[in-house]
């Protein structure tokens, strides 16, 4: 099993090694200008303009998503995932590295998806920003993408990585053990900030652990001791299962990665998150702060 995180220099050194597959998981998600302002686009155009040499674009908006779902970025079926990953050429991969051009959340989402399907991968710590800061080379255009064999991919679905609306309701109603954790910012959690989603606020009883607080000023994950302080003992040392959510199951993936680095077990991500939950007026939401 490779380490979860890899540095830019280590990745650059590995680029010439056989069996390395680099995946750019970038997605363009515009900042909300008003409540319900949800604008998302594939990161393929930005990948064409600039990417790490040999990197292949992994499309989390379509090819690696269930586009028939009522919310964006829905987990694809194992069959759909296997077909998309085969096109990306991971069957022959000895080591997979995922990155994105933004805050690292998209890379964490793909990493968690791969992990849930029995595929080991690493995440480039700091993403494309850190790669640029290290003055490492960049490539452009389709011609920079290596040929993809498209061999069949064998996946093993591991339970416990994903939660659905019924799982969240069971925790909320006390029918199942668990702690709900919202990875959105304090403003979005409390309902004081403009939201992309149908309603402001959070699922009642949730703890708030903004995922952005898990990174340093350069966009790299904090050291383990600092991560543990940012997440708090209730998450790191507790024994209750953790159900993480955010707006679309993306920021929550960065929190899942951080918890995994600390050895925390029993972590799942609510795939639909607030994009699904807030759209149903029958499901409870609340605003304001909750105890830490």
């Amino acid at each position: 099993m490779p380490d979860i995180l890899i540095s830019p220099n280590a990745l650059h050194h590995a680029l010439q090694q056989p069996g390395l597959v680099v995946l750019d998981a970038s997605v363009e998600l515009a900042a909300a200008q008003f409540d319900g302002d949800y604008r998302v686009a594939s990161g393929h155009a930005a990948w064409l303009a600039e990417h790490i040499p040999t990197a292949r674009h992994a499309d989390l908006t379509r090819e690696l998503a269930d586009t028939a779902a009522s919310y964006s970025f829905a987990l694809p079926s194992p069959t759909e995932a296997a077909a998309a990953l085969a096109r990306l050429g991971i069957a022959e991969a000895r080591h997979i590295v995922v990155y994105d051009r933004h805050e690292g959340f998209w890379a964490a989402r793909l990493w968690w998806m791969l992990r849930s399907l029995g595929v080991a991968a690493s995440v480039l710590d700091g993403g494309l920003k850190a790669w640029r800061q290290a003055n490492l080379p960049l490539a452009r255009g389709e011609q920079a993408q290596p040929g993809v064999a498209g061999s069949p991919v064998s996946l093993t679905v591991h339970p416990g990585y994903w939660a659905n609306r019924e799982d969240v309701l069971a925790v909320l109603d006390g029918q199942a053990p668990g702690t709900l954790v919202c990875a959105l910012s304090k403003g979005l959690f409390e309902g004081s900030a403009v939201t992309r989603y149908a309603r402001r606020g959070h699922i009642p009883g949730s703890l708030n652990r903004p995922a952005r607080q898990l990174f340093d000023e350069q966009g790299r994950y904090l050291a383990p001791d600092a991560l543990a302080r940012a997440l708090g003992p209730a998450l790191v040392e507790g024994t209750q299962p953790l159900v993480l959510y955010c707006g679309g199951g993306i920021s929550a993936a960065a929190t899942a990665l951080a918890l995994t680095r600390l050895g925390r077990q029993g972590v799942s991500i609510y795939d639909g998150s607030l994009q699904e939950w807030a759209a149903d007026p029958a499901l409870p939401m609340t605003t304001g702060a909750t105890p830490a």
Side-chain angles (χ1 to χ4, degrees):
M1 292 287 289
D3 292 337
I4 294 176
L5 299 178
I6 185 171
S7 71
N9 285 329
L11 176 57
H12 182 245
H13 179 74
L15 284 181
Q16 304 306 317
Q17 297 178 4
L20 175 70
V21 172
V22 183
L23 300 178
D24 182 330
S26 302
V27 174
E28 303 299 326
L29 185 61
Q33 302 300 311
F34 51 85
D35 285 353
D37 179 21
Y38 195 92
R39 291 169 288 136
V40 65
S42 167
H44 185 261
W47 171 83
L48 280 174
E50 180 182 63
H51 55 264
I52 292 172
T54 78
R56 307 164 185 178
H57 182 251
D59 187 358
L60 292 178
T61 65
R62 290 187 297 270
E63 292 193 357
L64 283 165
D66 178 4
T67 57
S70 62
Y71 50 89
S72 302
F73 316 116
L75 189 68
S77 70
T79 300
E80 292 169 332
L85 293 173
R87 290 191 291 272
L88 289 168
I90 75 159
E92 292 79 22
R94 297 180 184 176
H95 187 190
I96 299 169
V97 176
V98 186
Y99 77 93
D100 65 48
R101 60 189 305 108
H102 299 295
E103 296 86 355
F105 300 153
W106 304 105
R109 167 72 183 200
L110 181 53
W111 170 82
W112 189 257
M113 183 190 302
L114 292 172
R115 185 178 175 88
S116 73
L117 296 171
V119 179
S122 301
V123 170
L124 176 61
D125 198 15
L128 190 63
K129 178 180 178 182
W131 184 270
R132 289 197 202 98
Q133 289 174 338
N135 294 314
L136 295 171
L138 290 162
R140 295 177 176 82
E142 293 279 2
Q143 69 276 7
Q145 184 173 2
V148 177
S151 299
V153 175
S154 177
L155 302 177
T156 302
V157 179
H158 293 286
Y161 281 81
W162 302 98
N164 57 31
R165 176 166 57 180
E166 288 69 32
D167 296 324
V168 175
L169 281 169
V171 172
L172 194 59
D173 295 340
Q175 302 301 310
T179 300
L180 302 175
V181 183
C182 179
L184 293 173
S185 68
K186 179 181 178 182
L188 289 170
F189 179 84
E190 296 183 352
S192 61
V194 172
T195 180
R196 297 184 178 96
Y197 313 108
R199 289 180 287 163
R200 293 192 182 194
H202 58 271
I203 301 172
S206 302
L207 300 179
N208 186 209
R209 297 292 188 275
R212 291 183 188 277
Q213 296 182 4
L214 306 178
F215 298 87
D216 65 17
E217 294 179 354
Q218 285 73 46
R220 295 176 173 86
Y221 281 90
L222 299 173
D225 58 343
L227 276 181
R229 289 193 297 271
L231 291 165
L235 271 62
V236 177
E237 300 171 11
T239 58
Q240 286 266 10
L242 301 177
V243 181
L244 314 180
Y245 72 93
C246 51
I250 308 301
S251 297
T255 305
L257 190 154
L259 287 163
T260 302
R261 289 189 71 203
L262 297 176
R264 184 60 154 92
Q265 303 293 315
V267 177
S268 64
I269 294 176
Y270 171 25
D271 192 31
S273 283
L274 289 185
Q275 195 177 3
E276 178 186 50
W277 189 274
D280 186 345
L283 297 175
M285 289 188 69
T286 189
T287 56
T290 59

